[in-house]
Amino acid sequence: MRVLITGGAGFLGSHLTDRFLADGHEVVGLDNFITGHPDNIAHLASNQKYEFVQHNISTYTYVKGKLDGVLHFASPASPIDYLELPIPTLKVGALGTHNALGLAKEKGARFFLASTSEVYGDPLVHPQPETYWGNVNPVGPRGVYDEAKRFAEALTMAYHRFHGLDTRIVRIFNTYGPRMRPRDGRVVSNFIVQALRNEPITIYGDGSQTRSFCYASDEVEGIYQLFMKGDSDPCNIGNPDEYTVRQLAEMVRELTKTTAPLVERPLPEDDPKIRKPDITRARAMLGWEAKVGIREGLQKTIDYFASLPAERMKPRG
Ligand code: UDP
């Protein structure tokens, strides 16, 4: 197969690229480096089966040659990023998805949308099955991401139903691992970078809110299997192991052996109180579930951040 991955220099996009290449497929990566980073694809520079195009998918996009898959992973994905980039976030979810769908239709390719557990908002059902419609504030600060992804799902289903396009929608739950940006703003990268630099570890609110953390290799395997074997209905891919944010901070402190203190900071507006995937559907359809435990995954992520040049660990400017 030859597939296009938008957001191909991003955290998940670059791991997914490696997964396709490992099975002998060809990959065209597309990224405008708003939140992606060239280091994530530097190892592919001399790979004959890899091409890279620097481009913004929210503008008109054409790729030469055959494509069997178009996987749309481009988007700011950390709350801090989409608060700083509200309009590009809305555009890549709406216009970017439209361009990627149009390209898939033109090429007769399978389309794959990277959606998110954020479509469930601050959930009133726990854990969250795909049948739950969610509790999203459309006009709150997170609405730019949540509603863009909800629109992207609706547009994908419209192309599936109206044009008969072969489509997939994955709802990605909190994922962490190597190639996250050190100052990306998300909880795992923040805590590890703070611990390694002996800076105070910033717990937002009282730290009783929960998340369920999936290691990148598990997430990418689920995504790959969904692309290959799934159907058009949305599918959660995540690790159902649920922790409070305070528990996560304590684990990071223990594994890094830091003496950095925990400090409380204000809870961001509309921050979901709980989140955990119901993965019954992924298990039944794909035979997939996460394998990497939190401590093992955190240790690998700590090792990655510890290996980065100090320059990349500096606070956001
Ligand atoms: N969080 C935190 N400290 C940080 C960054 C995040 O306590 O330095 C909290 C945040 O308020 C949320 C959880 O960790 O409750 C997960 O945040 P993240 O930004 O990773 O992703 P989200 O799941 O909110 O999209």
Side-chain angles (χ1 to χ4, degrees):
M1 285 194 185
R2 181 171 185 255
V3 302
L4 174 75
I5 301 182
T6 78
F11 165 48
L12 282 181
S14 66
H15 284 297
L16 189 58
T17 298
D18 291 343
R19 183 66 187 83
F20 272 92
L21 292 171
D23 265 7
H25 302 296
E26 290 174 40
V27 177
V28 182
L30 186 146
D31 208 299
N32 62 354
F33 296 125
I34 281 194
T35 58
H37 198 285
D39 282 0
N40 292 341
I41 50 169
H43 63 291
L44 302 173
S46 59
N47 190 320
Q48 300 294 311
K49 296 200 164 180
Y50 182 72
E51 288 165 61
F52 180 75
V53 185
Q54 186 170 343
H55 181 74
N56 181 353
I57 185 66
S58 300
T59 62
Y60 176 77
T61 301
Y62 189 75
V63 172
K64 281 195 196 132
K66 76 149 189 170
L67 285 177
D68 305 293
V70 173
L71 296 99
H72 184 35
F73 277 71
S75 179
S78 160
I80 292 191
D81 286 332
Y82 52 75
L83 298 187
E84 278 179 9
L85 302 163
I87 294 166
T89 301
L90 280 158
K91 285 173 83 172
V92 77
L95 307 179
T97 303
H98 190 216
N99 290 334
L101 277 162
L103 183 62
K105 178 169 163 269
E106 159 71 19
K107 301 282 187 184
R110 178 173 297 160
F111 177 78
F112 188 105
L113 175 68
S115 185
T116 167
S117 56
E118 281 281 324
V119 301
Y120 302 122
D122 190 2
L124 305 175
V125 171
H126 194 70
Q128 293 82 54
E130 291 86 352
T131 47
Y132 177 47
W133 291 355
N135 178 40
V136 170
N137 175 3
V139 294
R142 298 173 87 100
V144 297
Y145 184 67
D146 302 7
E147 294 297 0
K149 290 291 190 183
R150 289 169 67 96
F151 175 83
E153 289 197 6
L155 195 60
T156 301
M157 290 310 290
Y159 267 68
H160 174 65
R161 294 196 181 104
F162 191 74
H163 290 308
L165 194 70
D166 186 18
T167 57
R168 308 276 185 273
I169 297 173
V170 63
R171 292 185 179 151
I172 299 171
F173 283 67
N174 294 70
T175 303
Y176 68 99
R179 302 189 193 159
M180 290 185 93
R181 271 148 65 230
R183 296 292 179 170
D184 156 296
R186 281 181 282 192
V187 68
V188 175
S189 44
N190 267 12
F191 285 2
I192 293 178
V193 170
Q194 289 163 345
L196 290 175
R197 290 169 56 102
N198 243 20
E199 295 167 6
I201 297 179
T202 53
I203 296 199
Y204 298 164
D206 64 6
S208 63
Q209 69 273 34
T210 71
R211 294 293 186 275
S212 307
F213 299 100
C214 190
Y215 188 65
S217 61
D218 280 335
E219 185 68 40
V220 163
E221 190 57 31
I223 287 169
Y224 187 75
Q225 295 303 329
L226 180 62
F227 178 85
M228 293 295 174
K229 307 196 291 209
D231 63 24
S232 59
D233 287 331
C235 184
N236 291 337
I237 297 287
N239 186 333
D241 261 355
E242 185 183 16
Y243 298 94
T244 67
V245 162
R246 190 172 287 276
Q247 283 174 320
L248 178 75
E250 292 297 359
M251 276 189 281
V252 170
R253 285 190 84 217
E254 191 191 309
L255 291 168
T256 54
K257 302 182 181 70
T258 186
T259 52
L262 303 183
V263 290
E264 289 189 11
R265 294 278 179 266
L267 189 67
E269 202 177 329
D270 295 336
D271 197 284
K273 286 180 267 311
I274 44 177
R275 181 182 292 154
K276 169 180 170 153
D278 179 330
I279 59 160
T280 310
R281 196 171 125 70
R283 271 204 191 97
M285 179 168 61
L286 312 173
W288 173 89
E289 64 183 344
K291 293 195 178 86
V292 181
I294 186 91
R295 282 169 195 279
E296 183 189 348
L298 285 176
Q299 188 58 57
K300 288 182 172 162
T301 313
I302 291 166
D303 295 344
Y304 168 76
F305 283 123
S307 75
L308 288 184
E311 180 62 27
R312 284 199 62 194
M313 304 280 274
K314 281 189 184 150
R316 294 166 81 99

